[in-house]
Amino acid sequence: MIKEFTNAPEAREFMYEGKAKKIYTTDDPELVRIYYKDDATAFDGKKRGTILDKGVVNNRTSGIFFSYLEDNGIPTHFQGLVNEREMITERVEIIQVEVVVRNVVAGSLAKRIGLAEGTVLAFPVLEFYYKSDELGDPLINESHMKVLNLATPEELEIIGGMALRINGLMVGFVEPRGLRLVDFKLEFGKNSKGQIILADEISPDTCRFWDLETGKSLDKDRFRRDLGEVEEAYHEVLRRLEVGLNG
């Protein structure tokens, strides 16, 4: 079941526009309204374009994953879908560390460690990136995070543990639907109570999904690498995720 927000508060003041979303305040200081765009970027904004209905797919896909994770004990900022392009979320202060969980070698990891793309890793690999457009979101370690005061060791332990648990839950959700979760990016934030919760989005923009049988890419790599059938891939992921869902 996907959570929906009935009688959702209207968008008020514009807060922020990112590469994929616009965020607005609402009458409730604890809640924000997020609008998903069709804009697509890659390679730190060097490549730009539009993926038709990407915002619709990513909004609903994120709603599916957030609802599923909430049902399995993962705290998230998600409060419910409003319409095909908007959701209501809890207002959070984003921790400036992006967490990437890798199950299969792909993309930059193949270049960095020399294993062939498609190699299944013996166990999930956690990576941390400094969330900085100016620096190109560089790969960082625990010492870097301490020097930059991005997260305490205790916070990092919470984030890392949650990321691995999310990975296990998501793999268990997508594999019966014929999808391999190759890798994915997560962002976390602190709510007004200081609790660390999952934020941002979970979609073909932030995850690598491959067809379990053919290995065909069904994610943003089709845009990055000019593989074609971009819109079709996004819609195919959503179609599979909706199998067996009520609402």
Side-chain angles (χ1 to χ4, degrees), residues 191-244:
N191 62 16
S192 61
K193 300 173 184 176
Q195 180 188 17
I196 294 176
I197 61 177
L198 180 63
D200 195 44
E201 67 179 276
I202 306 177
S203 71
D205 267 14
T206 61
C207 305
R208 277 192 175 95
F209 295 116
W210 291 354
D211 182 272
L212 205 53
E213 293 187 4
T214 68
K216 179 180 179 180
S217 171
L218 296 171
D219 53 61
K220 195 177 179 180
D221 270 350
R222 304 203 70 83
F223 171 77
R224 289 188 190 97
R225 303 180 180 185
D226 296 317
L227 299 176
E229 300 180 343
V230 182
E231 289 86 359
E232 292 85 349
Y234 274 63
H235 280 279
E236 177 63 15
V237 168
L238 177 57
R239 185 191 69 79
R240 295 190 191 190
L241 294 181
E242 288 184 321
V243 172

Side-chain angles (χ1 to χ4, degrees), residues 9 109 119 143 157-158:
L109 185 62
T119 302
S143 294
E157 184 176 353
I158 292 170

